[in-house]
Amino acid sequence: METKSDIIRVLIAKVGLDGHDRGVKIVARTLRDAGMDVIYTGLHRTPEEVVDAAVQVNSFNSVTSGLGWLHVIGEGKAVLFGSYLFGDERDTDGRADGAKRFDGVRLGGQVMLKESLDLFAAATHLRAHYGRENATFLATRGDQQSDTVLGVNWRFARDWTLRPQLLESRNNSNITIYGFKRTELSVTVRRDFR
């Protein structure tokens, strides 16, 4: 039997002046449909209001915040974007490396090659520092993760998009067992319902 403490609780907030919230409402509804307890604070929140909401709920183990920028170029045929994110994961289960603090940047863009084809690329770099010496490895863990993605969006029919993309991820850690290099090729087919 599932108890209230077994249910995952998610706080979603929209910080700043941007008045577009369709995407965040879709995410909230999807998480609710998956059985999660979702709290959406609404539009135009200050960082202080988001922190206050999280403190009132007092059951979050991970906090992530960020700032983003988007610039449209060439009459809407290209965009450049960047973001900075930061946060922490609390050590609630006594994990070997303790709590984690992280921050990172993401830069990218998308350009329309022709009416039905867009090229996109993005790069992310994330740093993570852990709060406890790992007793097995006698070191305090520090990670540097980088991700690079390149792909296309091909709108091959009305309301249909094919999206092949190549993603390369690399995590360099001072504890070797946590390091990895991974390359993924994925293809997504999307149908927009209007």
Side-chain angles (χ1 to χ4, degrees):
M1 178 177 198
E2 189 174 51
T3 66
K4 183 72 174 166
S5 64
D6 294 332
I7 296 173
I8 297 171
R9 181 173 280 174
V10 178
L11 175 69
I12 299 177
K14 190 83 163 118
V15 178
L17 299 175
D18 183 8
H20 299 90
D21 65 349
R22 182 176 178 197
V24 76
K25 286 181 177 177
I26 290 170
V27 169
R29 185 175 42 236
T30 302
L31 294 175
R32 277 192 195 107
D33 290 348
M36 297 181 196
D37 182 15
V38 178
I39 300 159
Y40 173 46
T41 62
L43 290 171
H44 311 299
R45 298 295 173 224
T46 66
E48 293 80 14
E49 289 173 322
V50 175
V51 170
D52 288 345
V55 169
Q56 287 174 7
V57 173
N58 197 25
S59 65
F60 291 91
N61 297 326
S62 179
V63 176
T64 304
S65 299
L67 303 167
W69 163 82
L70 177 88
H71 183 70
V72 179
I73 303 169
E75 299 174 6
K77 295 188 180 195
V79 295
L80 296 175
F81 63 84
S83 60
Y84 172 72
L85 62 107
F86 56 95
D88 64 46
E89 294 176 6
R90 294 181 185 91
D91 178 20
T92 58
D93 300 326
R95 79 174 162 201
D97 299 308
K100 174 173 112 174
R101 291 193 169 272
F102 60 88
D103 70 328
V105 295
R106 182 171 177 84
L107 301 170
Q110 180 169 312
V111 63
M112 179 187 293
L113 300 176
K114 60 183 187 175
E115 193 64 33
S116 63
L117 189 66
D118 300 330
L119 173 68
F120 64 88
T124 305
H125 184 75
L126 188 68
R127 297 178 302 180
H129 304 282
Y130 293 79
R132 179 180 323 139
E133 181 178 272
N134 185 305
T136 303
F137 299 104
L138 301 176
T140 301
R141 182 176 166 189
D143 293 347
Q144 303 267 340
Q145 182 172 336
S146 298
D147 299 312
T148 307
V149 65
L150 177 66
V152 295
N153 290 317
W154 175 40
R155 293 171 294 286
F156 61 92
R158 183 170 185 232
D159 299 330
W160 286 92
T161 304
L162 181 69
R163 180 185 178 116
Q165 69 178 27
L166 180 65
L167 169 70
E168 180 159 308
S169 297
R170 176 188 303 250
N171 190 58
N172 295 317
S173 180
N174 64 323
I175 299 177
T176 308
I177 196 168
Y178 294 116
F180 64 83
K181 181 178 179 186
R182 177 177 57 228
T183 302
E184 299 175 15
L185 176 62
S186 64
V187 178
T188 305
V189 178
R190 174 180 159 171
R191 171 137 175 20
D192 291 327
F193 297 93
R194 297 173 195 243

